[in-house]
Amino acid sequence: MLLDYDRLGGWRWGLVGVGTVVMLFLLLPIVFIAALSFGDSQWLVFPPPGWTMQWYQQLLTDPVWVNALLTSAKVGVIVTVLSVVLGLLAALGLARSRFFGKSALQAFFLTPMVLPVVVLAVALYAFFLKLGLTGTLTGFVIGHLIIALPFSIITIGNSLQSFDSALEDAAMICGASPLEVKWRVTLPAIRLGMFAAAIFSFLISWDEVVLSIFMASPTLQTLPVLIWSTLRQDLTPVIASASTLLVAFTVVLMLLASFLKKGSRQ
Amino acid sequence: MTTPFLQIRGLRKTYDQVVAIDHVALDIKQGEFMTFLGPSGSGKSTTLYIVAGFQEPTEGQVLLNGKSLLDVAPNKRNIGMVFQRYTLFPHLTVGENVAFPLRVRRRPESEIKAKVEKMLELVHLADYRDRLPGQMSGGQQQRVAIARALAYDPPLLLMDEPLAALDKKLREEIQFELRRIHQETGVTILYVTHDQEEALRLSDRIAVFSQGRIEQVGTGEELYEHPSSRFVAGFIGNSNFLPVKVEQMGAGRARAIFPNGQAVEGDARAFAAGSEGTLMVRPEQMRIRPHATSAQGLAVTVRDMTYLGDSMHFAVQTPWEQELAVRMAVRDGQGLCIGSSAVLEWDSQHGHVFA
């Protein structure tokens, strides 16, 4: 290649420098917030004068925070299940059949990805207000599902595309009914894609804040919403610890997803 | 007369305006190894896929033991099939792949176990039962696919170029295995290939496909010795095609003249006198002599000679400057050298005149 890293000479150090700066730019805020969550200053002083676990203790004993955490988890799990099931059905329909308006439908399924979330949020809020769905678990689930579903459809659709449909023919001629073919051959073959879709869906729900602010009520809110509303009132290091937990869990799921990707390539 | 085991009747398949196959008709005997041979796009795979049930014909009928197959869903046809691509289920072990058709048939566990063992022994892979397909070579995977396709004792086994992805040596090895399996199980096989050598090696009978139609059906010997058309002659074995003009038509024989005015005789079907044709002679049926020994000889010049160990290959030039290929035993070629004039001879029953 023309721009081979090994032949760049002195430019190489420039590249390394730029890379490092970008990386710091991206990661420093997270490191910063994680450090603050363990610091014993009430006022989020950096560097922290001393270390403590008291903010985490406060976080996990305050029923408001614990409830928000549980709500986030509950919404996340329900959204994940629905997103994978509906995403699978949609992807199967798009990949395996031919019908009029298929590409239009495909584009329609993906619109939530390109639509500004805030527009979606306002629209849903107005609509749900009429139905009495704001401030309910159902409202959260439907809102998050709308954003998560396109990712599910794309991820599962991709793994269906790399799956050789001759395997389905082979299973069929072996005597398996269409449903058995899907259950015994197709689903096991695309299971990694389904896991990936599940992780993406959960993550999307887990750190969604815009839609959630519109859906939340004083008694029912997710962790990101609580962080946001607490932040507007006062600046307590509990926010830092809540944020750190949020990030830590996200990192764990991302790692899991990348392991799955590695596994599927083998 | 008993009904034939498998009857393919008047099959026609069109996609939009394109005719994939037309007037395909064939009877196959029980236990026969029938090969569909032809270039890609000749309709051989389409015909096989209609028998399998993956495609529906526009017209025509397929009967197995006198009963229509077309009304039966593909998963109820009880037919075995091996595909060109490796189609073992990647998440199942070799043993479970072979067990798959038995499991969907809800057979008892003890029967499944015994049958899997028996099938893996048939393809000489008994030690591989717990492997995953990804850990095996292409040849081994296709052998497992054969075991899977035969596990439920189907009356008919379809094979769609199963060896096309394998290298030559492996291909020959599995061809040999396939013959043995065919003999041991007695299953009727419909085999699709574009490789004429493979067709000759394996089949009881061969149906040669061209442009959506069956050109000729017969044993390998019949097709080689008595091709019914120029296409069949060109597709099976090597051949020389010489331009002729038919002068006179007799009972299955034609008298024709070469461009240089010399007369020649050969096997022929009905011909109108005066029409243009082609005389086909196989390279190994021709002899090069220093001097004429019979009336039917063509004066040629030796252009090239190649020593091939068991035979010699010659390129000779006719008076109208066409190059022909000739194969002779090494000792018969002695005394010839490049540039020498000679006479090319063949027995007239080895000459075939085509349109």
Side-chain angles (χ1 to χ4, degrees):
Chain A
M1 267 221 310
L2 199 61
L3 283 175
D4 199 324
Y5 180 74
D6 291 330
R7 296 195 311 191
L8 278 175
W11 288 98
R12 219 193 291 188
W13 299 111
L15 264 184
V16 170
V18 171
T20 312
V21 169
V22 169
M23 201 173 73
L24 288 178
F25 177 75
L26 291 175
L27 287 182
L28 263 186
I30 295 172
V31 174
F32 199 73
I33 205 84
L36 285 179
S37 74
F38 293 104
D40 65 358
S41 160
Q42 176 81 42
W43 310 107
L44 294 172
V45 175
F46 194 87
W51 305 100
T52 179
M53 289 294 286
Q54 62 162 311
W55 313 121
Y56 284 92
Q57 209 170 9
Q58 215 172 320
L59 175 79
L60 295 174
T61 48
D62 184 344
V64 177
W65 283 102
V66 171
N67 274 338
L69 193 71
L70 286 179
T71 305
S72 265
K74 212 190 285 177
V75 172
V77 169
I78 299 174
V79 165
T80 302
V81 171
L82 289 178
S83 165
V84 170
V85 171
L86 295 178
L88 174 70
L89 294 177
L92 274 176
L94 289 173
R96 288 285 183 270
S97 51
R98 285 200 278 166
F99 52 87
F100 178 75
K102 178 173 145 178
S103 47
L105 192 62
Q106 200 153 17
F108 176 74
F109 276 141
L110 304 185
T111 41
M113 282 177 82
V114 288
L115 212 65
V117 183
V118 89
V119 173
L120 199 69
V122 170
L124 269 185
Y125 181 68
F127 185 50
F128 281 6
L129 216 50
K130 272 202 175 137
L131 299 178
L133 281 176
T134 49
T136 65
L137 197 69
T138 318
F140 273 111
V141 168
I142 294 176
H144 288 186
L145 189 58
I146 290 173
I147 318 182
L149 203 49
F151 290 91
S152 230
I153 294 175
I154 289 179
T155 313
I156 297 175
N158 280 346
S159 58
L160 268 178
Q161 218 146 43
S162 60
F163 164 74
D164 190 349
S165 62
L167 286 180
E168 290 183 344
D169 288 345
M172 177 119 53
I173 202 109
C174 277
S177 68
L179 220 70
E180 263 177 318
V181 170
K182 292 278 178 288
W183 181 249
R184 286 171 179 264
V185 176
T186 315
L187 289 191
I190 60 165
R191 64 191 191 280
L192 288 177
M194 284 166 60
F195 276 131
I199 289 173
F200 277 134
S201 300
F202 187 86
L203 281 181
I204 285 166
S205 166
W206 180 247
D207 57 18
E208 208 296 317
V209 67
V210 180
L211 257 167
S212 308
I213 286 174
F214 283 84
M215 290 301 139
S217 72
T219 49
L220 191 74
Q221 47 194 343
T222 57
L223 197 54
V225 174
L226 188 59
I227 292 175
W228 163 253
S229 55
T230 311
L231 199 61
R232 287 176 12 147
Q233 287 154 22
D234 72 314
L235 210 60
T236 154
V238 175
I239 294 174
S241 55
S243 309
T244 307
L245 275 187
L246 206 64
V247 170
F249 195 58
T250 305
V251 168
V252 167
L253 284 183
M254 290 298 266
L255 284 178
L256 198 63
S258 71
F259 275 128
L260 283 179
K261 242 186 205 155
K262 234 186 218 163
S264 73
R265 247 180 268 136
Q266 276 161 8
Chain B
M1 204 192 119
T2 56
T3 42
F5 180 64
L6 181 71
Q7 290 170 278
I8 297 173
R9 281 196 195 154
L11 277 195
R12 177 182 164 85
K13 171 81 182 171
T14 54
Y15 304 97
D16 301 325
Q17 298 298 316
V18 185
V19 179
I21 57 169
D22 202 2
H23 293 106
V24 169
L26 194 62
D27 284 351
I28 292 141
K29 290 192 280 284
Q30 184 151 23
E32 194 170 29
F33 196 126
M34 168 65 85
T35 296
F36 294 172
L37 176 66
S40 58
S42 60
K44 55 194 194 310
S45 288
T46 303
T47 308
L48 195 78
Y49 276 47
I50 288 173
V51 176
F54 298 137
Q55 292 186 3
E56 277 179 40
T58 314
E59 272 172 46
Q61 186 54 272
V62 180
L63 302 164
L64 185 68
N65 280 324
K67 274 181 242 144
S68 172
L69 264 187
L70 299 181
D71 310 333
V72 185
N75 60 319
K76 304 277 184 212
R77 290 193 184 187
N78 203 34
I79 289 175
M81 183 153 179
V82 179
F83 297 77
Q84 177 176 356
R85 282 177 289 179
Y86 307 137
T87 55
L88 296 185
F89 308 129
H91 61 288
L92 296 179
T93 61
V94 165
E96 276 309 305
N97 262 284
V98 177
F100 183 88
L102 304 169
R103 293 214 185 280
V104 300
R105 282 172 173 75
R106 314 268 184 269
R107 298 277 173 80
E109 191 60 37
S110 57
E111 185 195 325
I112 293 178
K113 199 162 173 256
K115 192 74 193 184
V116 167
E117 210 139 294
K118 201 179 141 203
M119 294 322 294
L120 286 179
E121 256 165 44
L122 179 73
V123 295
H124 296 322
L125 285 174
D127 298 337
Y128 290 77
R129 201 188 56 201
D130 298 323
R131 295 262 190 116
L132 285 171
Q135 302 165 323
M136 302 174 79
S137 71
Q140 289 170 331
Q141 288 195 43
Q142 285 306 61
R143 275 151 66 191
V144 176
I146 294 169
R148 182 178 69 186
L150 291 173
Y152 41 109
D153 299 312
L156 183 62
L157 177 62
L158 310 179
M159 306 188 92
D160 182 23
E161 309 215 25
L163 311 182
L166 305 178
D167 63 55
K168 188 169 156 57
K169 192 168 172 290
L170 210 54
R171 206 155 55 218
E172 283 173 9
E173 204 178 294
I174 300 187
Q175 283 165 2
F176 180 76
E177 294 257 306
L178 214 55
R179 278 183 69 112
R180 176 182 60 79
I181 290 168
H182 179 234
Q183 277 158 13
E184 280 180 26
T185 60
V187 66
T188 309
I189 298 182
L190 272 190
Y191 192 97
V192 164
T193 183
H194 61 265
D195 179 348
Q196 48 119 349
E197 205 178 306
E198 185 167 284
L200 290 172
R201 188 168 289 154
L202 292 172
S203 332
D204 295 323
R205 281 195 303 157
I206 300 169
V208 181
F209 277 70
S210 167
Q211 296 179 348
R213 288 162 186 266
I214 294 181
E215 196 79 17
Q216 189 177 2
V217 186
T219 63
E221 193 183 338
E222 281 163 7
L223 296 178
Y224 190 85
E225 300 290 341
H226 306 288
S228 67
S229 69
R230 182 185 167 145
F231 178 83
V232 174
F235 205 77
I236 296 182
N238 300 312
S239 12
N240 292 304
F241 293 107
L242 300 94
V244 292
K245 187 176 247 176
V246 177
E247 269 202 329
Q248 207 184 323
M249 193 59 217
R253 300 197 58 77
R255 207 181 130 77
I257 50 169
F258 285 128
N260 65 342
Q262 198 173 341
V264 66
E265 268 192 21
D267 282 354
R269 309 222 162 158
F271 254 109
S275 58
E276 300 284 335
T278 307
L279 178 80
M280 190 282 288
V281 189
R282 303 281 185 194
E284 71 275 14
Q285 309 287 12
M286 292 176 144
R287 298 173 302 273
I288 307 171
R289 303 266 185 243
H291 309 286
T293 60
S294 75
Q296 185 156 280
L298 199 58
V300 292
T301 315
V302 178
R303 281 286 170 225
D304 195 15
M305 43 199 288
T306 315
Y307 176 78
L308 291 175
D310 56 344
S311 64
M312 284 204 77
H313 185 267
F314 293 85
V316 300
Q317 198 177 45
T318 62
W320 56 93
E321 301 200 332
Q322 182 186 3
E323 273 217 351
L324 302 176
V326 180
R327 216 167 69 218
M328 291 201 297
V330 174
R331 63 183 136 74
D332 294 335
Q334 272 154 12
L336 292 167
C337 54
I338 293 174
S340 62
S341 301
V343 178
L344 189 63
E345 295 180 347
W346 62 90
D347 298 336
S348 70
Q349 80 259 24
H350 290 136
H352 303 269
V353 184
F354 301 122

